[in-house]
């Protein structure tokens, strides 16, 4: 931008802060969580909300997306399609409040739905959605001519992916590698590898 100093025009460069997109993929299949003794899924959800809050407050340009890998399907829990600011002032930073509320509401709705509890979790589909989300954010930034944020995927799982998911998970890993998107995984139960 330009500004006038003592009658002269000078160009001042604004510091552009490039954020990070963190996509959290959480296994929500109750069948898989039967093998995990600690933490319970409720405790994990609380810890994840704190972790996401820290990521958002670390840099104002940071953003998050939470995807649930459920029994036979995957769903984006945050950001929600109907995310709207209702204008209430709770004294908290509004993005944190919206994220906390939406994450808790969507997770509760997902877990209360009646579904067939299959032992297979749709981890491959959830990873595909994570990569699509990061790509969409990057494309939007390119269209708006702003620096694209770096993307990262963190997978929290109760058990290693079943053999039926091997090809889908490996395809997602290769696609992430091609686009320079790191995938971190934390497996809390199951057989140690």
């Amino acid at each position: 931008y330009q500004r006038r100093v003592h009658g002269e025009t000078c160009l001042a460069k604004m510091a552009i802060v490039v954020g990070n997109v963190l996509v959290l993929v959480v296994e929500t299949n109750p069948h898989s969580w039967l093998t995990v003794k600690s933490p319970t899924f409720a405790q994990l959800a609380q810890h994840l909300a704190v972790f996401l809050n820290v990521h958002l407050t670390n840099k104002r340009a940071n953003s998050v997306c939470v995807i649930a890998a459920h029994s036979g399907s995957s769903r984006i829990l945050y950001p929600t399609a109907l995310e709207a600011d209702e204008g209430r002032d709770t004294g908290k930073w509004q993005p944190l409040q919206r994220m906390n509320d939406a994450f808790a509401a969507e997770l509760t709705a997902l877990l209360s739905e009646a579904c067939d509890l299959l032992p297979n979790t749709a981890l491959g589909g959830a990873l595909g959605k994570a990569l699509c989300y990061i790509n969409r954010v990057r494309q939007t930034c390119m269209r708006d001519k702003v620096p694209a944020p770096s993307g990262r995927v963190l997978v929290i799982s109760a058990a290693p992916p079943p053999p039926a998911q091997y090809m889908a998970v490996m395809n997602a890993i290769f696609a992430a590698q091609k686009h320079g998107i790191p995938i971190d995984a934390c497996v809390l139960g199951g057989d140690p590898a």
Side-chain angles (χ1 to χ4, degrees):
Y1 70 97
Q2 292 185 353
R3 65 181 178 152
R4 290 204 170 260
V5 178
H6 301 291
E8 295 180 17
T9 302
C10 63
L11 295 175
K13 293 185 179 180
M14 293 179 60
I16 297 176
V17 178
V18 179
N20 299 305
V21 177
L22 173 66
V23 180
L24 179 65
V25 175
V26 182
E27 182 176 13
T28 57
N29 187 351
H31 188 278
S32 299
W33 281 95
L34 293 174
T35 62
V36 179
K37 295 187 185 351
S38 179
T40 65
F41 188 75
Q43 291 170 332
L44 178 70
Q46 291 173 346
H47 295 312
L48 291 177
V50 171
F51 174 72
L52 294 172
N53 286 336
V54 169
H55 177 75
L56 287 174
T57 56
N58 188 27
K59 200 184 293 182
R60 196 159 189 70
N62 283 356
S63 63
V64 296
C65 175
V66 182
I67 300 175
H70 204 59
S71 176
S73 67
S74 60
R75 180 192 300 180
I76 295 179
L77 300 178
Y78 180 81
T80 60
L82 299 175
E83 182 183 359
D85 187 7
E86 299 172 358
R88 60 184 176 196
D89 186 12
T90 60
K92 296 180 183 177
W93 189 40
Q94 290 301 316
L96 294 181
Q97 185 66 40
R98 284 193 305 266
M99 193 277 306
N100 289 338
D101 292 347
F103 176 59
E106 290 293 318
L107 189 59
T108 302
L110 176 70
L111 296 177
S112 65
E113 290 177 1
C115 66
D116 297 328
L117 294 180
L118 304 171
N120 289 341
T121 300
L123 186 59
L127 285 173
K129 282 184 182 180
L131 297 177
C132 287
Y133 183 83
I134 292 171
N135 187 50
R136 185 178 70 193
V137 169
R138 287 180 174 176
Q139 293 297 323
T140 302
C141 289
M142 286 176 49
R143 184 190 68 222
D144 295 341
K145 295 183 169 95
V146 295
S150 61
R152 176 174 224 101
V153 178
L154 173 60
V155 179
I156 305 291
S157 180
Q165 288 284 313
Y166 179 78
M167 290 300 290
V169 170
M170 290 308 293
N171 284 338
I173 290 171
F174 293 142
Q177 184 178 21
K178 181 178 179 181
H179 293 285
I181 300 170
I183 298 178
D184 300 308
C186 178
V187 180
L188 299 173
D191 295 329

